[in-house]
Amino acid sequence: MSYLEVSGRRHPIPVGELVVGSAQTAHIVLAGTGVLARHAVVQGTPDGQAVIRLGTEEADVRVNGVRLGAQPTPLLHGDKVQVGRVELRFVDERRSGSTQYVRAVDPVVASGGGSAPHEVADSASGGRLVSLIDGREYAVGSALVIGRDATSDIVLTSRSVSRRHAEVVVSPLGYVLVDHSTNGTFVNGQRVKDQQMLGRGDMIRCGDEEFRFHADVPAPPPKPVPERPKRYSWAMDLSDEAAPGAEYRLNQTMHGFPVVQPSPPAEPKAEPAPAPPAREEAPAAAPRATSDAMASLVVRTGVLKGRRFPIRVPIVNVGRAEYNDIVLPDDSVSTTHAKLQRREGIWVVVDLDSTNGTLVDGERVSGEAPLAPGAFVRFGEVQVIFEPTDDTIDPRKGSSTKLMSAIRPPAVSPPPRKSTD
């Protein structure tokens, strides 16, 4: 059985619709600022699954801190649903399970670990984990708990995950990952020993699930104010105690400047023969993606025209904010605009409710759309070309060709003409 839990009360989800809102006719009645009469609808299925959608277009519903769009979203065990200022937790009893609890380690701030000192996210703001399985985002408040228990902030159902597996806590120096598990927590492939400072872009693995850690870029230190140069007063010493040779040097100057003897005229040089006209070269193309990249985006418009962004992981976020994987600093691009995801060998682009929309080959994306090799994608007013490099993409899905430079044969001089006497 699955149910929604709010304020300690459990509301079973039946087969059919379950309405959440402020109206007295709703199945779950919520009071508070921002709760509409028919705010959200949870659809239950006979196999115990649940899907949530907006009750009205004006409703603001967030799942694990991410705003719900127009498309319905399936609920997973442990998901946090925010309606107005009220938070509900989705629980699937078939996924709860239990494992042995391991004593927590007190989070002592330490800089040891796999991240280099310059990579440590010492901003201590904007921390979030992005799942590389389904692309869900989880914001880090004062602490973010990962585990199998339904009360965890990120609930994982694998039996290799402990009830309280790990947590990310905020310290004065940045974010610290604390391991509580039996089978271990890994950062960038290395097992964490009790705790470790996290750096921007670190890969965290708990059981079979992998997450990428993001945080705000720390503010640069203030630039030092340069000191004003000292002014010196230079005066000619006309006293009787002038240094020896001063009279000779004075005679060799004119108006206070050294006299430069004219040099003999140089012999005229033969003018060099004019160079042959240079052959026009094709404009340099953007550098190709490195071999370890799964795909790349080549910018065609805006201030980053010609820039190539390699994609090395199956999920990347695109937006104007600095914490995105691909940052497009254009006013037409939303803070978190869209994301690219690879599923079973097919790349798709998902629009994250951006203001100006995402277009693929001129058609606006509603929810998500597949990407073919050479597809033109537009984020707001910024247009890019999608170029996959992995072998799993069927090249017949694209329609791109390569432009080859012209081949010019060498010039052949005509045979000498015979003289006629």
Side-chain angles (χ1 to χ4, degrees):
M1 174 181 287
S2 59
Y3 54 86
L4 288 175
E5 183 180 88
V6 55
S7 300
R9 297 185 58 185
R10 296 184 175 183
H11 301 270
I13 300 178
V15 177
E17 291 188 352
L18 184 144
V19 180
V20 181
S22 60
Q24 296 300 321
T25 56
H27 299 89
I28 302 179
V29 181
L30 302 178
T33 306
V35 180
L36 303 180
R38 184 183 174 90
H39 203 104
V41 178
V42 179
Q43 181 76 32
T45 61
D47 58 352
Q49 303 294 327
V51 178
I52 187 171
R53 68 176 188 271
L54 299 177
T56 60
E57 295 182 356
E58 299 80 11
D60 183 8
V61 179
R62 298 178 184 270
V63 179
N64 299 322
V66 180
R67 186 174 181 178
L68 183 64
Q71 299 297 326
T73 298
L75 291 175
L76 302 178
H77 174 62
D79 280 349
K80 312 299 186 302
V81 180
Q82 184 175 349
V83 176
R85 297 184 179 180
V86 183
E87 183 180 86
L88 303 90
R89 178 182 290 109
F90 175 73
V91 180
D92 188 350
E93 291 183 341
R94 301 171 302 174
R95 300 287 186 177
S96 58
S98 62
T99 56
Q100 183 179 2
Y101 176 74
V102 181
R103 182 179 60 88
V105 179
D106 294 332
V108 180
V109 176
S111 59
S115 300
H118 66 279
E119 296 178 348
V120 173
D122 54 359
S123 174
S125 63
R128 61 195 179 99
L129 296 183
V130 179
S131 172
L132 297 186
I133 302 298
D134 54 15
R136 289 175 178 259
E137 301 179 4
Y138 304 89
V140 181
S142 58
L144 181 73
V145 179
I146 306 173
R148 195 173 178 181
D149 191 84
T151 60
S152 302
D153 299 300
I154 302 179
V155 180
L156 307 179
T157 59
S158 174
R159 293 187 177 275
S160 61
V161 177
S162 302
R163 290 184 58 192
R164 187 181 177 91
H165 196 93
E167 63 179 322
V168 180
V169 297
V170 182
S171 74
L173 298 181
Y175 292 89
V176 182
L177 176 66
V178 184
D179 179 44
H180 306 309
S181 66
T182 303
N183 297 320
T185 305
F186 298 82
V187 175
N188 300 327
Q190 301 294 325
R191 183 164 182 170
V192 176
K193 297 181 179 180
D194 294 340
Q195 55 192 335
Q196 178 177 321
M197 294 290 294
L198 289 177
R200 298 174 64 245
D202 278 350
M203 306 293 292
I204 302 173
R205 179 163 61 88
C206 301
D208 299 330
E209 302 279 344
E210 286 189 332
F211 303 88
R212 183 188 300 171
F213 173 73
H214 294 274
D216 292 341
V217 178
K223 296 181 179 180
V225 180
E227 297 182 359
R228 298 182 60 182
K230 297 181 180 180
R231 302 184 62 182
Y232 296 91
S233 176
W234 300 94
M236 183 178 292
D237 188 0
L238 301 179
S239 63
D240 296 338
E241 300 179 356
E247 181 179 358
Y248 171 78
R249 291 193 301 272
L250 184 62
N251 293 333
Q252 296 297 320
T253 63
M254 178 183 298
H255 303 294
F257 296 93
V259 177
V260 180
Q261 297 296 336
S263 58
E267 296 181 359
K269 297 182 179 180
E271 297 182 358
R279 185 174 60 183
E280 294 184 358
E281 300 290 344
R288 299 298 300 173
T290 56
S291 59
D292 60 342
M294 304 174 65
S296 61
L297 295 181
V298 182
V299 183
R300 301 183 70 249
T301 59
V303 296
L304 298 180
K305 183 178 180 180
R307 173 78 178 275
R308 180 182 295 274
F309 291 95
I311 301 174
R312 297 182 174 88
V313 292
I315 295 178
V316 294
N317 287 343
V318 182
R320 192 177 71 250
E322 291 292 337
Y323 54 75
N324 290 285
D325 304 299
I326 298 179
V327 180
L328 301 177
D330 191 278
D331 292 338
S332 64
V333 180
S334 300
T335 304
T336 303
H337 197 100
K339 70 177 178 180
L340 274 67
Q341 186 172 2
R342 181 171 173 268
R343 302 174 184 166
E344 299 180 355
I346 299 177
W347 285 93
V348 297
V349 60
V350 182
D351 183 74
L352 302 178
D353 292 333
S354 60
T355 303
N356 297 316
T358 303
L359 285 80
V360 176
D361 293 332
E363 296 185 2
R364 183 154 184 164
V365 176
S366 177
E368 63 180 39
L371 293 178
F376 291 91
V377 186
R378 200 177 76 188
F379 305 104
E381 298 298 330
V382 179
Q383 190 178 51
V384 301
I385 301 178
F386 173 73
E387 295 183 355
T389 57
D390 51 346
D391 297 334
T392 58
I393 299 298
D394 187 357
R396 293 174 296 178
K397 294 181 180 179
S399 58
S400 59
T401 59
K402 295 184 178 178
L403 179 64
M404 300 182 62
S405 59
I407 300 176
R408 299 183 179 180
V412 180
S413 58
R417 300 178 59 185
K418 295 182 179 180
S419 61
T420 56
D421 295 336

